[in-house]
mmCIF file of all heavy atoms in Angstrom:
data_model
loop_
_atom_site.group_PDB
_atom_site.id
_atom_site.type_symbol
_atom_site.label_atom_id
_atom_site.label_comp_id
_atom_site.label_asym_id
_atom_site.label_seq_id
_atom_site.Cartn_x
_atom_site.Cartn_y
_atom_site.Cartn_z
ATOM 1 N N ASN O 1 4.844 3.187 -6.685
ATOM 2 C CA ASN O 1 4.158 2.597 -5.533
ATOM 3 C C ASN O 1 4.244 1.072 -5.545
ATOM 4 O O ASN O 1 4.481 0.450 -4.506
ATOM 5 C CB ASN O 1 2.691 3.037 -5.491
ATOM 6 C CG ASN O 1 2.521 4.469 -5.030
ATOM 7 O OD1 ASN O 1 3.406 5.058 -4.413
ATOM 8 N ND2 ASN O 1 1.380 5.049 -5.344
ATOM 9 N N ILE O 2 4.074 0.471 -6.710
ATOM 10 C CA ILE O 2 4.135 -0.990 -6.817
ATOM 11 C C ILE O 2 5.540 -1.489 -6.495
ATOM 12 O O ILE O 2 5.714 -2.440 -5.735
ATOM 13 C CB ILE O 2 3.697 -1.453 -8.227
ATOM 14 C CG1 ILE O 2 2.194 -1.225 -8.407
ATOM 15 C CG2 ILE O 2 4.056 -2.918 -8.460
ATOM 16 C CD1 ILE O 2 1.710 -1.369 -9.845
ATOM 17 N N VAL O 3 6.543 -0.832 -7.053
ATOM 18 C CA VAL O 3 7.929 -1.269 -6.880
ATOM 19 C C VAL O 3 8.417 -1.080 -5.444
ATOM 20 O O VAL O 3 9.152 -1.913 -4.925
ATOM 21 C CB VAL O 3 8.848 -0.519 -7.874
ATOM 22 C CG1 VAL O 3 10.315 -0.763 -7.586
ATOM 23 C CG2 VAL O 3 8.511 -0.926 -9.299
ATOM 24 N N THR O 4 7.991 0.004 -4.799
ATOM 25 C CA THR O 4 8.541 0.352 -3.487
ATOM 26 C C THR O 4 7.603 0.102 -2.311
ATOM 27 O O THR O 4 8.038 0.184 -1.163
ATOM 28 C CB THR O 4 8.950 1.834 -3.449
ATOM 29 O OG1 THR O 4 7.782 2.637 -3.665
ATOM 30 C CG2 THR O 4 10.006 2.140 -4.492
ATOM 31 N N GLY O 5 6.335 -0.149 -2.575
ATOM 32 C CA GLY O 5 5.385 -0.355 -1.482
ATOM 33 C C GLY O 5 4.903 0.938 -0.851
ATOM 34 O O GLY O 5 4.305 0.926 0.226
ATOM 35 N N THR O 6 5.144 2.051 -1.516
ATOM 36 C CA THR O 6 4.690 3.344 -1.003
ATOM 37 C C THR O 6 3.240 3.594 -1.415
ATOM 38 O O THR O 6 2.653 2.825 -2.177
ATOM 39 C CB THR O 6 5.572 4.490 -1.545
ATOM 40 O OG1 THR O 6 5.587 4.425 -2.972
ATOM 41 C CG2 THR O 6 6.991 4.400 -1.006
ATOM 42 N N ASP O 7 2.693 4.690 -0.911
ATOM 43 C CA ASP O 7 1.342 5.109 -1.278
ATOM 44 C C ASP O 7 1.371 6.588 -1.663
ATOM 45 O O ASP O 7 0.684 7.409 -1.075
ATOM 46 C CB ASP O 7 0.369 4.864 -0.124
ATOM 47 C CG ASP O 7 -1.081 5.106 -0.509
ATOM 48 O OD1 ASP O 7 -1.412 4.993 -1.713
ATOM 49 O OD2 ASP O 7 -1.890 5.432 0.387
ATOM 50 N N LEU O 8 2.196 6.904 -2.659
ATOM 51 C CA LEU O 8 2.283 8.289 -3.116
ATOM 52 C C LEU O 8 1.007 8.655 -3.863
ATOM 53 O O LEU O 8 0.400 7.825 -4.519
ATOM 54 C CB LEU O 8 3.484 8.470 -4.043
ATOM 55 C CG LEU O 8 4.863 8.203 -3.452
ATOM 56 C CD1 LEU O 8 5.940 8.434 -4.505
ATOM 57 C CD2 LEU O 8 5.115 9.060 -2.235
ATOM 58 N N LYS O 9 0.657 9.933 -3.739
ATOM 59 C CA LYS O 9 -0.520 10.459 -4.435
ATOM 60 C C LYS O 9 -0.123 11.727 -5.182
ATOM 61 O O LYS O 9 0.774 12.456 -4.758
ATOM 62 C CB LYS O 9 -1.623 10.766 -3.430
ATOM 63 C CG LYS O 9 -2.149 9.520 -2.740
ATOM 64 C CD LYS O 9 -3.204 9.858 -1.704
ATOM 65 C CE LYS O 9 -3.825 8.659 -1.052
ATOM 66 N NZ LYS O 9 -2.961 7.578 -0.672
ATOM 67 N N GLN O 10 -0.789 11.980 -6.283
ATOM 68 C CA GLN O 10 -0.468 13.121 -7.132
ATOM 69 C C GLN O 10 -0.639 14.452 -6.401
ATOM 70 O O GLN O 10 0.006 15.440 -6.736
ATOM 71 C CB GLN O 10 -1.321 13.094 -8.390
ATOM 72 C CG GLN O 10 -0.854 14.070 -9.440
ATOM 73 C CD GLN O 10 -1.452 13.793 -10.802
ATOM 74 O OE1 GLN O 10 -2.169 12.826 -10.983
ATOM 75 N NE2 GLN O 10 -1.147 14.640 -11.756
ATOM 76 N N THR O 11 -1.479 14.497 -5.383
ATOM 77 C CA THR O 11 -1.757 15.741 -4.663
ATOM 78 C C THR O 11 -0.733 16.046 -3.567
ATOM 79 O O THR O 11 -0.809 17.098 -2.938
ATOM 80 C CB THR O 11 -3.155 15.669 -4.022
ATOM 81 O OG1 THR O 11 -3.214 14.521 -3.167
ATOM 82 C CG2 THR O 11 -4.239 15.581 -5.078
ATOM 83 N N MET O 12 0.228 15.151 -3.357
ATOM 84 C CA MET O 12 1.216 15.344 -2.287
ATOM 85 C C MET O 12 2.206 16.447 -2.646
ATOM 86 O O MET O 12 2.572 16.612 -3.801
ATOM 87 C CB MET O 12 2.000 14.053 -2.032
ATOM 88 C CG MET O 12 1.217 12.972 -1.365
ATOM 89 S SD MET O 12 2.263 11.505 -1.102
ATOM 90 C CE MET O 12 1.327 10.689 0.184
ATOM 91 N N THR O 13 2.644 17.155 -1.601
ATOM 92 C CA THR O 13 3.752 18.082 -1.771
ATOM 93 C C THR O 13 5.047 17.274 -1.831
ATOM 94 O O THR O 13 5.062 16.076 -1.516
ATOM 95 C CB THR O 13 3.841 19.062 -0.584
ATOM 96 O OG1 THR O 13 4.149 18.323 0.609
ATOM 97 C CG2 THR O 13 2.541 19.851 -0.400
ATOM 98 N N PHE O 14 6.134 17.936 -2.187
ATOM 99 C CA PHE O 14 7.437 17.276 -2.227
ATOM 100 C C PHE O 14 7.743 16.665 -0.855
ATOM 101 O O PHE O 14 8.121 15.498 -0.764
ATOM 102 C CB PHE O 14 8.511 18.290 -2.634
ATOM 103 C CG PHE O 14 9.900 17.720 -2.685
ATOM 104 C CD1 PHE O 14 10.307 16.939 -3.748
ATOM 105 C CD2 PHE O 14 10.804 17.991 -1.670
ATOM 106 C CE1 PHE O 14 11.598 16.419 -3.806
ATOM 107 C CE2 PHE O 14 12.099 17.477 -1.718
ATOM 108 C CZ PHE O 14 12.490 16.693 -2.782
ATOM 109 N N GLN O 15 7.572 17.445 0.208
ATOM 110 C CA GLN O 15 7.895 16.953 1.551
ATOM 111 C C GLN O 15 6.994 15.796 1.966
ATOM 112 O O GLN O 15 7.463 14.835 2.587
ATOM 113 C CB GLN O 15 7.821 18.081 2.587
ATOM 114 C CG GLN O 15 8.355 17.670 3.944
ATOM 115 C CD GLN O 15 9.792 17.176 3.899
ATOM 116 O OE1 GLN O 15 10.673 17.896 3.416
ATOM 117 N NE2 GLN O 15 10.049 15.975 4.360
ATOM 118 N N GLU O 16 5.715 15.855 1.648
ATOM 119 C CA GLU O 16 4.806 14.748 1.968
ATOM 120 C C GLU O 16 5.238 13.469 1.258
ATOM 121 O O GLU O 16 5.199 12.383 1.836
ATOM 122 C CB GLU O 16 3.370 15.096 1.581
ATOM 123 C CG GLU O 16 2.730 16.146 2.463
ATOM 124 C CD GLU O 16 1.402 16.653 1.926
ATOM 125 O OE1 GLU O 16 1.166 16.590 0.695
ATOM 126 O OE2 GLU O 16 0.599 17.128 2.749
ATOM 127 N N ALA O 17 5.654 13.598 0.009
ATOM 128 C CA ALA O 17 6.110 12.428 -0.750
ATOM 129 C C ALA O 17 7.374 11.849 -0.126
ATOM 130 O O ALA O 17 7.495 10.625 0.032
ATOM 131 C CB ALA O 17 6.341 12.803 -2.209
ATOM 132 N N ILE O 18 8.321 12.705 0.249
ATOM 133 C CA ILE O 18 9.557 12.235 0.880
ATOM 134 C C ILE O 18 9.249 11.564 2.214
ATOM 135 O O ILE O 18 9.808 10.515 2.546
ATOM 136 C CB ILE O 18 10.565 13.392 1.074
ATOM 137 C CG1 ILE O 18 10.913 14.032 -0.260
ATOM 138 C CG2 ILE O 18 11.825 12.908 1.797
ATOM 139 C CD1 ILE O 18 11.260 13.074 -1.360
ATOM 140 N N ASP O 19 8.352 12.145 2.985
ATOM 141 C CA ASP O 19 7.952 11.534 4.264
ATOM 142 C C ASP O 19 7.385 10.133 4.040
ATOM 143 O O ASP O 19 7.706 9.200 4.785
ATOM 144 C CB ASP O 19 6.917 12.404 4.989
ATOM 145 C CG ASP O 19 7.509 13.699 5.538
ATOM 146 O OD1 ASP O 19 8.758 13.818 5.610
ATOM 147 O OD2 ASP O 19 6.710 14.599 5.876
ATOM 148 N N GLU O 20 6.554 9.971 3.016
ATOM 149 C CA GLU O 20 5.977 8.662 2.701
ATOM 150 C C GLU O 20 7.076 7.678 2.286
ATOM 151 O O GLU O 20 7.078 6.517 2.711
ATOM 152 C CB GLU O 20 4.921 8.785 1.600
ATOM 153 C CG GLU O 20 4.385 7.477 1.062
ATOM 154 C CD GLU O 20 3.643 6.606 2.077
ATOM 155 O OE1 GLU O 20 3.254 7.111 3.160
ATOM 156 O OE2 GLU O 20 3.458 5.409 1.790
ATOM 157 N N ILE O 21 8.002 8.132 1.465
ATOM 158 C CA ILE O 21 9.110 7.278 1.036
ATOM 159 C C ILE O 21 9.932 6.834 2.244
ATOM 160 O O ILE O 21 10.277 5.661 2.372
ATOM 161 C CB ILE O 21 9.975 8.023 -0.014
ATOM 162 C CG1 ILE O 21 9.188 8.157 -1.322
ATOM 163 C CG2 ILE O 21 11.306 7.331 -0.226
ATOM 164 C CD1 ILE O 21 9.794 9.134 -2.322
ATOM 165 N N GLU O 22 10.204 7.760 3.146
ATOM 166 C CA GLU O 22 10.973 7.425 4.350
ATOM 167 C C GLU O 22 10.176 6.531 5.304
ATOM 168 O O GLU O 22 10.734 5.614 5.906
ATOM 169 C CB GLU O 22 11.443 8.696 5.048
ATOM 170 C CG GLU O 22 12.518 9.400 4.256
ATOM 171 C CD GLU O 22 13.005 10.690 4.890
ATOM 172 O OE1 GLU O 22 12.396 11.167 5.870
ATOM 173 O OE2 GLU O 22 14.019 11.224 4.380
ATOM 174 N N ASN O 23 8.883 6.787 5.445
ATOM 175 C CA ASN O 23 8.040 5.952 6.312
ATOM 176 C C ASN O 23 8.016 4.501 5.852
ATOM 177 O O ASN O 23 7.924 3.585 6.671
ATOM 178 C CB ASN O 23 6.610 6.498 6.387
ATOM 179 C CG ASN O 23 6.510 7.761 7.202
ATOM 180 O OD1 ASN O 23 7.391 8.078 8.010
ATOM 181 N ND2 ASN O 23 5.444 8.512 6.994
ATOM 182 N N GLU O 24 8.096 4.294 4.545
ATOM 183 C CA GLU O 24 8.092 2.935 3.991
ATOM 184 C C GLU O 24 9.508 2.364 3.887
ATOM 185 O O GLU O 24 9.694 1.277 3.354
ATOM 186 C CB GLU O 24 7.408 2.917 2.623
ATOM 187 C CG GLU O 24 5.918 3.172 2.698
ATOM 188 C CD GLU O 24 5.181 2.178 3.586
ATOM 189 O OE1 GLU O 24 5.513 0.971 3.564
ATOM 190 O OE2 GLU O 24 4.279 2.627 4.319
ATOM 191 N N GLU O 25 10.472 3.127 4.414
ATOM 192 C CA GLU O 25 11.867 2.689 4.483
ATOM 193 C C GLU O 25 12.453 2.308 3.120
ATOM 194 O O GLU O 25 13.184 1.333 2.989
ATOM 195 C CB GLU O 25 12.027 1.556 5.498
ATOM 196 C CG GLU O 25 11.631 1.981 6.902
ATOM 197 C CD GLU O 25 11.775 0.890 7.949
ATOM 198 O OE1 GLU O 25 12.120 -0.254 7.612
ATOM 199 O OE2 GLU O 25 11.516 1.208 9.125
ATOM 200 N N VAL O 26 12.125 3.114 2.117
ATOM 201 C CA VAL O 26 12.723 2.944 0.797
ATOM 202 C C VAL O 26 14.169 3.430 0.898
ATOM 203 O O VAL O 26 14.428 4.532 1.382
ATOM 204 C CB VAL O 26 11.952 3.756 -0.271
ATOM 205 C CG1 VAL O 26 12.656 3.683 -1.614
ATOM 206 C CG2 VAL O 26 10.512 3.268 -0.375
ATOM 207 N N ASN O 27 15.099 2.604 0.487
ATOM 208 C CA ASN O 27 16.512 2.983 0.527
ATOM 209 C C ASN O 27 16.823 3.917 -0.625
ATOM 210 O O ASN O 27 16.674 3.548 -1.782
ATOM 211 C CB ASN O 27 17.409 1.747 0.434
ATOM 212 C CG ASN O 27 17.282 0.866 1.650
ATOM 213 O OD1 ASN O 27 17.153 1.345 2.759
ATOM 214 N ND2 ASN O 27 17.313 -0.435 1.434
ATOM 215 N N TYR O 28 17.253 5.133 -0.277
ATOM 216 C CA TYR O 28 17.636 6.063 -1.326
ATOM 217 C C TYR O 28 18.890 6.820 -0.912
ATOM 218 O O TYR O 28 19.150 7.028 0.267
ATOM 219 C CB TYR O 28 16.500 7.015 -1.688
ATOM 220 C CG TYR O 28 16.168 8.071 -0.654
ATOM 221 C CD1 TYR O 28 16.768 9.317 -0.704
ATOM 222 C CD2 TYR O 28 15.238 7.830 0.347
ATOM 223 C CE1 TYR O 28 16.458 10.294 0.225
ATOM 224 C CE2 TYR O 28 14.926 8.795 1.280
ATOM 225 C CZ TYR O 28 15.531 10.031 1.218
ATOM 226 O OH TYR O 28 15.228 11.003 2.151
ATOM 227 N N PHE O 29 19.663 7.198 -1.915
ATOM 228 C CA PHE O 29 20.888 7.946 -1.685
ATOM 229 C C PHE O 29 20.622 9.449 -1.707
ATOM 230 O O PHE O 29 21.133 10.194 -0.886
ATOM 231 C CB PHE O 29 21.937 7.569 -2.740
ATOM 232 C CG PHE O 29 23.173 8.422 -2.669
ATOM 233 C CD1 PHE O 29 24.074 8.263 -1.635
ATOM 234 C CD2 PHE O 29 23.405 9.398 -3.619
ATOM 235 C CE1 PHE O 29 25.194 9.070 -1.546
ATOM 236 C CE2 PHE O 29 24.534 10.203 -3.546
ATOM 237 C CZ PHE O 29 25.426 10.041 -2.507
#
């Protein structure tokens, strides 16, 4: 979260975490 500016939480599902990563426009391959 600190490195990428995301707000991931331990209770998130895989898809919720990916949605958060994409919403914060983290560049990933």
Side-chain angles (χ1 to χ4, degrees):
N1 285 341
I2 290 168
V3 171
T4 62
T6 55
D7 188 25
L8 298 180
K9 295 178 176 42
Q10 192 165 356
T11 57
M12 289 181 160
T13 65
F14 179 77
Q15 189 57 55
E16 289 170 335
I18 301 312
D19 289 346
E20 172 63 16
I21 290 167
E22 290 179 350
N23 288 341
E24 291 302 321
E25 299 180 356
V26 175
N27 293 322
Y28 71 92
F29 173 73

